[in-house]
Amino acid sequence: MHSLTEENYLKAIYKLLEKGEKKISTTAIAALVETAPASVTDMLKKLAEKKLIRYEKYQGVTLSGSGKKVAVDIIRKHRLWEFFLVEKLGFSWDQVHDIAEQLEHIKSEALITRLDHFLGNPKADPHGDPIPDEHGVFHALNTIPLSAVTVNVPVIITGVIDHRPVFLRFLEKEGYALGKKILVKEKLEIDQSVTLLLSGSKKLKHISHDVARNILVLPEKTK
Amino acid sequence: MHSLTEENYLKAIYKLLEKGEKKISTTAIAALVETAPASVTDMLKKLAEKKLIRYEKYQGVTLSGSGKKVAVDIIRKHRLWEFFLVEKLGFSWDQVHDIAEQLEHIKSEALITRLDHFLGNPKADPHGDPIPDEHGVFHALNTIPLSAVTVNVPVIITGVIDHRPVFLRFLEKEGYALGKKILVKEKLEIDQSVTLLLSGSKKLKHISHDVARNILVLPEKTK
DNA sequence: ATAATTATTTAGATTTGCCTAAATAATATA
DNA sequence: TATATTATTTAGGCAAATCTAAATAATTAT
Ligand SMILES: [Mn+2]
Ligand SMILES: [Mn+2]
Ligand SMILES: [Mn+2]
Ligand SMILES: [Mn+2]
């Protein structure tokens, strides 16, 4: 069995690998797990010992097969719990991450199997992030940022890139939510800002490029 | 904030106080938390330092007001989670204790408030143990063991004393469950064994005194 | 190609919770 | 009451995860 701390390190490494690079630095991990780089080095030695990562000093780190499995399993649990918190307990999407950070470490295969079934085997969490199945397979949608959408082609909101509560609360206040329809009316050349119609409202909305690129969408009715 | 370990010690002390004695011994705690007595002594000093218990060496230990509050809160969480696991996820009553031992340490007031509401503010867990409210108040029923029931007075099963999975599985297999009606037909002088009718079955059942005293009941329709 | 800067690792400590063995106090027995 | 037994505490250490400061390697800039 792995400690809660080990799980968090593996998850951090996984998230860093997910965003591009093949080799992950000590400092990047330190920032994510909020510890001193020296502490990260200690843990990397331990994880390498256990064959959960591949690590050679000064050369960065990458996940082994078993390490990746642990990381994906934690992510699965995190997202299932987030879904539960929003759909069953009525939390809003900006409140669930910290609680899920705790719940993701509960150890019981049966619990997750049953929770998954109870929730109707959801495919995405409240932020649109895909929930891997019990084999660790992701069924990710082929989303694009709202900033890249063609004018006058209707799209559906399917997720966010920025997960900060302050951003999520802003979106909620403005009426944006997963499943909502958006029709982009204009993209301003000068600053890449977007003018759009949000389903349910007749008033044009205007958002910056920076907001638009943090909203993920899909063209309406993809089969 | 208190560590998971501190919480478990306080819960153990609470449970020992619950069963009678006013002063709790180091060895009794050691048995419950499954550590060496020397380790318990260490922890008792720490808990006393934090004013969570009253402790003088060789004199046993008792809970302070704040220590009791922590313990009751953990018990509330444990029992709410057990209720959730049985009622929502479909676990049987012999499977939930170990998972609840983990879930009871999740720290979020909002989570428990919402979980309690989602579950319909249950008053008892799957084993009939009362769930304290948010103020730590128990609304316990005035139950008696089945072994003490008067012949031919119908009673309802409201709980168990023995919580061991093996006992719970035996009861389940035999058809006993919370809410079921029992009519005691005979109590044998010689060994205090009980002959009874269980609602839903026409066949007389015969159980030992030892089983009977571990089943808690209430006279039918108490107002 | 050197020098300066930045990243990473090592060294040495600390905290929490636990252990075994030994010392001491409390209790039971003779 | 004196002695044997049992309970409890103290002493000394260990493992996990962390820290700061110092040493070393890698990278970037001159
Ligand atoms: Mn999250
Ligand atoms: Mn999420
Ligand atoms: Mn339980
Ligand atoms: Mn219970």
Side-chain angles (χ1 to χ4, degrees), chain A residues 86-212:
Chain A
V86 168
E87 294 301 318
K88 299 294 183 179
L89 298 195
F91 278 101
S92 57
W93 65 352
D94 59 295
Q95 301 174 314
V96 296
H97 179 77
D98 289 348
I99 302 176
E101 285 289 303
Q102 298 180 62
L103 286 165
E104 71 188 8
H105 301 289
I106 301 291
K107 283 166 183 62
S108 167
E109 186 111 23
L111 173 60
I112 292 305
T113 302
R114 283 177 185 271
L115 181 65
D116 189 27
H117 178 256
F118 175 63
L119 300 176
N121 309 106
K123 296 288 167 278
D125 82 1
H127 314 102
D129 297 311
I131 300 176
D133 67 22
E134 68 267 45
H135 308 297
V137 178
F138 287 89
H139 300 278
L141 300 172
N142 217 6
T143 57
I144 52 168
L146 181 56
S147 53
V149 158
T150 313
V151 168
N152 275 318
V153 175
V155 294
I156 303 290
I157 303 179
T158 57
V160 292
I161 291 176
D162 187 346
H163 283 57
R164 284 149 46 231
V166 59
F167 181 69
L168 298 174
R169 280 196 296 271
F170 164 77
L171 289 187
E172 187 151 57
K173 179 169 61 70
E174 292 290 316
Y176 299 91
L178 296 202
K180 281 247 177 176
K181 187 159 81 178
I182 288 178
L183 194 60
V184 172
K185 301 306 285 182
E186 194 186 358
K187 286 202 274 185
L188 227 87
E189 189 69 51
I190 178 94
D191 64 352
Q192 296 290 99
S193 68
V194 174
T195 307
L196 58 85
L197 270 173
L198 181 62
S199 70
S201 159
K202 286 193 167 353
K203 231 173 70 203
L204 281 173
K205 284 178 176 290
H206 191 87
I207 57 176
S208 69
H209 175 74
D210 201 53
V211 168

Side-chain angles (χ1 to χ4, degrees), chain A residues 3 5 9 35-36 38-39 42-43 46 58-59:
Chain A
S3 72
T5 311
Y9 273 89
T35 43
S39 310
D42 286 347
M43 182 56 87
K46 187 180 164 194
Y58 297 108
Q59 302 308 304

Side-chain angles (χ1 to χ4, degrees), chain B residues 141-152:
Chain B
L141 300 172
N142 217 5
T143 57
I144 52 169
L146 181 57
S147 53
V149 158
T150 315
V151 168
N152 276 318

Side-chain angles (χ1 to χ4, degrees), chain B residues 161-180:
Chain B
I161 291 176
D162 187 345
H163 282 58
R164 285 150 43 233
V166 59
F167 181 69
L168 298 174
R169 280 195 296 270
F170 164 77
L171 289 188
E172 185 150 58
K173 180 170 61 69
E174 292 291 317
Y176 300 91
L178 295 203
K180 281 247 177 175

Side-chain angles (χ1 to χ4, degrees), chain B residues 11 15 78-79 82 93 96-98 100-101 104 125-127 129 163:
Chain B
K11 187 175 54 151
K15 296 216 157 180
H78 182 99
R79 292 179 182 171
E82 281 192 346
W93 66 352
V96 296
H97 179 77
D98 289 348
E101 285 289 303
E104 71 188 9
D125 82 0
H127 314 101
D129 297 312
H163 282 58

